[in-house]
Amino acid sequence: MDSFLYCIRIAALVLGALYAECAFAAVSPAPLLPALSVPALSVIDGLGKGSVALKGPWQFHTGDDPAWASPALDASAWEQIDADKPWGMQGHFGYTGFAWYRIRLELTSAPGIPAQFSLLLPSIDDACEIYWNGKLIGHNGQLQPYPIWYYYYAQSPQIFSLGSQGSGVLAVRLWKAPLFSDDSGSRGGFETAPQVGSLDALSTVREALRFRRLRKEQFLIDESLLCLTVALLSFLLWMRHPPRRLLLWMAIFSAVPPVKFLLLTEYLRLPYFFAMGLDQPIATLQDIAFWFLLLTLLSLRWNYTLVRWTRILAVLAFANALFDGILIALSWNPPWIAALQNADNASAILFTMLEIYPLVLVGVAVLQRKRLDSSRWVVAALVFLDEMILVVHNTLKQGRQYTGWPIAVMIDAPLFMIDGTAVSVTTLASLFLLLAVVYAVYDSVREEQKRSEALEQEKMQLVLESKHMRHHAEHDGLTGLWNHRIIVERLKTEMNRSRRENIPLGVILADIDYFKKINDTYGHTAGDLVLREISATLAQSLRDYDCVGRYGGEEFLIILPGCTMENALARAERLRQALEAARIVYEGKMLQVTGSFGVASGILPEHEIDADALIQAVDAALYRAKKSGRNRVVQAEMDALLCDG
């Protein structure tokens, strides 16, 4: 878990480094020549060493007619418009469909430079075809057979050759995608004025634009790598501890931004329908993961009603996002546009309502007076701030195509720039929320791990105590041998095995001679010492699978599996000699101890012989050993019970 903390700290440092200058292993591009406004006559001289931006005025007309590409067309009655900003900002707010730009050019090259002219198209919404003197010279995106905006193409500036003919009409046929709920209606057509010049000059401009875009994407790439690192660490930790679903939700929550970055850029070049169809469902997975994160971080996961509602809303949100993704993917077919727009508006209303749900979770946590630590209170505060900004922003943005209010644009307005990337209030709120959630998740996992370790220690302690209690329940407290109950149960078990496997079973009952005299002469302390020493001597003289237990008082029951009568008698004799040779010292005095042994062994017959009968037989042999002078081994008389093995 410490490694997870270190990784989070490193991730935070990386995030801070995003605000520093991106180290780019590239040579700084040559500075661009000033963008010149094209005069009304559209005469541009001296092309070759630099480029000129065709800001305008351009002739502009909405609608579509292939004949409008002809140089012979009289377009003098067309509207005059600039090309350095979308037509939505020049009186055509909310317009979608086809439109045409035309401009008549007179181009001459600089002295000593061949008359070969080119056109650079930096950025356009959404797809277009370029005509020079009525001839199609290139396109950006797709217009035939159905107009589709390939979003990643629009990010890459393209160069089109005009050839050596410097006089003619440049016509651009454009298509703006239909307005959906998240389209403000202010875009369409040129975003940046196209430029004309020689191929070398425009290539320099294009590389400069690409360099700027790469610097801008460097910030997004670093941010995506940071999120991917957090997602990978969370996923690996979840794999080690599957019950900790908080880590799984954290992995999903962090993985969505890099996946969307790859999905909607030119790096993967995925098919339009596939990419646009997956965009909405993948984004919604982040919202769903965020909801379940909040359930845990705000201590709401024990509210089963709230958890059940969260699951229901999660299914509803994902189904709605999947439906919306399909709508956007199908937007290329003109006859479907009206129905798709209405369906998308309904989906957007539901989506906006679902965006309020995190605020509901925060409100429930506050009203229920949940005891949250400082990190989780920070998460709650940032969730409230971020979601309020998000709900207001999306509501205004989705309604702007009807109202034209610029408030959503003001919310998105950059506070400052980092390598060409605009950092707005929304960006900062999301950034701080991500950091707070990452830390709160780590803190929650750390606390859970501490509780788990404490429970594991308590469990181990209980197991040890259980083993200790079981040991005391099964073993004699003085000698450490099995007690009467256990040794008799073991005898019954071995008797059953002897019958089942048809093998002999040896049983010995031993008794310490004159033990009462030792107690009377030296006291019970000496007697206890003798019992312990004799028990140790017996235990050390047996095989690993033999059993010995204190049958009662100074008597010991010994079980010898697989031992015939001959071997059992020999074993008993060795035990007798071991006891006789034992030297037990008590208070400086040597205590001489001997033992008497009753022995029985054989293969149990088919009919039942219980343990009591067998013990009674060896007890009778032990009695005869004591009566005949003690310190000896006597065989039990068991001919009526056992077949001698």
Side-chain angles (χ1 to χ4, degrees), residues 375-391:
S375 64
R376 300 187 184 189
W377 276 119
V378 170
V379 169
L382 289 176
V383 167
F384 180 80
L385 175 63
D386 180 77
E387 293 301 318
M388 284 298 295
I389 294 175
L390 188 62
V391 170

Side-chain angles (χ1 to χ4, degrees), residues 517-535:
K517 183 178 180 180
I518 295 175
N519 280 333
D520 294 342
T521 303
Y522 300 102
H524 289 283
T525 304
D528 292 345
L529 176 63
V530 170
L531 288 174
R532 287 194 296 269
E533 293 294 333
I534 295 303
S535 298

Side-chain angles (χ1 to χ4, degrees), residues 540-588:
Q540 293 172 2
S541 303
L542 298 178
R543 300 169 298 182
D544 293 339
Y545 49 87
D546 293 337
C547 305
V548 58
R550 187 180 180 186
Y551 187 72
E554 65 274 17
E555 291 183 338
F556 300 90
L557 184 62
I558 303 167
I559 304 172
L560 307 172
C563 197
T564 63
M565 179 61 78
E566 181 181 356
N567 292 333
L569 291 171
R571 297 288 300 280
E573 178 61 25
R574 285 196 294 271
L575 291 175
R576 186 197 66 79
Q577 294 175 3
L579 263 63
E580 187 177 23
R583 294 295 181 263
I584 303 173
V585 179
Y586 177 72
E587 294 183 352

Side-chain angles (χ1 to χ4, degrees), residues 89-285:
M89 302 175 65
Q90 301 184 72
H92 296 277
F93 183 85
Y95 176 73
T96 63
F98 284 97
W100 282 75
Y101 285 85
R102 286 171 53 95
I103 189 170
R104 188 173 296 275
L105 298 176
E106 293 289 341
L107 308 175
T108 59
S109 60
I113 297 179
Q116 289 292 332
F117 308 107
S118 296
L119 174 73
L120 173 68
L121 192 64
S123 180
I124 197 168
D125 288 323
D126 285 328
C128 71
E129 292 177 344
I130 299 95
Y131 296 86
W132 177 238
N133 287 327
K135 180 181 179 182
L136 179 66
I137 62 173
H139 64 88
N140 189 346
Q142 174 183 313
L143 290 179
Q144 300 295 337
Y146 302 105
I148 297 176
W149 169 44
Y150 283 91
Y151 40 87
Y152 40 73
Y153 290 162
Q155 295 184 4
S156 298
Q158 291 183 265
I159 295 178
F160 305 95
S161 175
L162 301 179
S164 59
Q165 184 177 358
S167 177
V169 173
L170 180 64
V172 182
R173 180 192 184 201
L174 296 110
W175 178 81
K176 174 67 176 72
L179 290 179
F180 281 91
S181 58
D182 57 350
D183 194 329
S184 66
S186 62
R187 304 176 69 181
F190 292 117
E191 289 191 342
T192 305
Q195 300 186 41
V196 292
S198 65
L199 178 61
D200 292 339
L202 293 181
S203 297
T204 302
V205 175
R206 181 178 61 184
E207 294 306 313
L209 293 174
R210 286 178 175 175
F211 177 76
R212 292 174 183 173
R213 182 170 62 86
L214 288 175
R215 287 180 65 89
K216 178 179 179 180
E217 290 186 353
Q218 185 66 35
F219 179 88
L220 300 176
I221 291 173
D222 291 342
E223 183 182 22
S224 298
L225 288 177
L226 172 62
C227 293
L228 191 61
T229 301
V230 174
L232 182 60
L233 289 173
S234 301
F235 181 76
L236 292 177
L237 288 174
W238 173 74
M239 291 290 291
R240 292 183 58 186
H241 306 282
R244 296 178 179 173
R245 295 184 180 179
L246 183 68
L247 293 171
L248 176 61
W249 296 124
M250 186 68 228
I252 297 174
F253 179 74
S254 304
V256 169
V259 172
K260 281 180 60 67
F261 175 75
L262 290 177
L263 191 67
L264 299 180
T265 57
E266 62 182 347
Y267 297 107
L268 296 182
R269 289 186 174 269
L270 298 173
Y272 173 83
F273 307 104
F274 183 77
M276 298 306 294
L278 287 181
D279 177 50
Q280 294 291 338
I282 290 177
T284 302
L285 283 178

Side-chain angles (χ1 to χ4, degrees), residues 46 48 102 168 399 417 466 636:
R102 286 171 53 95
M417 304 290 291
S466 176

